[in-house]
Amino acid sequence: MHALPRLIVATRNAHKTAEIRAMLGGRFEVLNSNDFPETPEVEETGSTFLENARLKALAVSRVVDGWVLSDDSGLEVDALGGAPGVWSSSFGGVEGDHARNNARLLQEMAGKSERGARFRCTMVLARQGQEVAHFSGTVEGRLIDALQGTAGFGYDPLFIPEGHSATFAELGDDVKNSLSHRSRALALVINHLENLE
Ligand code: ITT
């Protein structure tokens, strides 16, 4: 039996890693930055998803062998002019605190009738400190005015994807992974890797 090729996701976010692992369906051994003590902390100083995804992929691919994939993602809200966008993970004031982020979003959206929003995910594939390619995926939807559901992470309890009447957090991992921004970007990554073989 052949060992699976390794794909290292340049993230410390366990939810992103789990989604990517579930979607890669046994094609790769999926690891992340937490599995490599030598990976640096990467400051996300870019002003676009692509800039931040590049910073993460290149920094990690300089110190580990194998394919490295980064994921920079966020929520763009029409009524907020596209915010929180690249600042999605610290919208509530504390990096990675999803409860605060959701509380701030609810507060900003209170009383607003325009509810359109989308998740966006940009991925950079890299190897040995070089970018190989980049990919993006989006999913359109709308925001509700109270948290619903417990699956997923981040803004999932407030976001109903187009064509559904329940939030990502209610729909669960399988449905989310069949239509999310992350799954759409990842489908392009898989296609690219298959064409290289
Ligand atoms: P890494 O930088 O280590 O990958 P992170 O969580 O800081 O992890 P980002 O900088 O890309 O990642 O910020 C992503 C934020 O966008 C995340 O914290 C959520 O608030 C939101 N987000 C992204 N994808 C999401 C999803 O599938 N469901 C819900 N919220 C999501």
Side-chain angles (χ1 to χ4, degrees), residues 12-129:
R12 300 197 188 278
N13 180 321
H15 294 282
K16 281 184 181 176
T17 311
E19 289 183 8
I20 291 170
R21 186 176 288 125
M23 291 186 281
L24 281 174
R27 288 179 174 90
F28 289 88
E29 182 194 2
V30 177
L31 303 169
N32 77 10
S33 301
N34 291 329
D35 297 306
F36 299 89
E38 65 274 33
T39 51
E41 286 306 320
V42 183
E43 242 195 291
E44 296 187 33
T45 53
S47 53
T48 63
F49 292 110
L50 180 56
E51 283 170 11
N52 285 333
R54 275 193 179 122
L55 289 170
K56 293 187 267 193
L58 296 184
V60 172
S61 74
R62 281 186 201 106
V63 297
V64 300
D65 283 332
W67 292 110
V68 170
L69 184 69
S70 64
D71 167 326
D72 202 65
S73 45
L75 181 72
E76 297 174 346
V77 180
D78 294 339
L80 304 180
V86 290
W87 294 281
S88 291
S89 70
S90 53
F91 194 43
V94 178
E95 174 73 35
D97 186 330
H98 300 311
R100 283 178 193 249
N101 291 341
N102 282 325
R104 165 104 190 259
L105 185 58
L106 284 171
Q107 189 193 328
E108 301 266 350
M109 291 301 289
K112 292 201 162 60
S113 54
E114 190 185 7
R115 309 299 298 185
R118 74 202 51 73
F119 278 118
R120 188 179 297 279
C121 173
T122 296
M123 292 182 161
V124 168
L125 185 67
R127 215 173 161 116
Q128 290 172 328

Side-chain angles (χ1 to χ4, degrees), residues 123-183:
M123 292 182 161
V124 168
L125 185 67
R127 215 173 161 116
Q128 290 172 328
Q130 302 284 327
E131 177 175 336
V132 176
H134 61 266
F135 311 90
S136 270
T138 59
V139 56
E140 299 287 330
R142 65 189 168 84
L143 298 174
I144 54 170
D145 57 13
L147 299 167
Q148 283 184 29
T150 55
F153 72 102
Y155 299 100
D156 283 345
L158 292 176
F159 182 86
I160 296 185
E162 214 168 55
H164 288 266
S165 51
T167 66
F168 266 155
E170 294 174 292
L171 292 167
D173 296 348
D174 289 350
V175 176
K176 181 180 178 189
N177 290 344
S178 72
L179 53 85
S180 76
H181 50 317
R182 184 160 295 107
S183 70

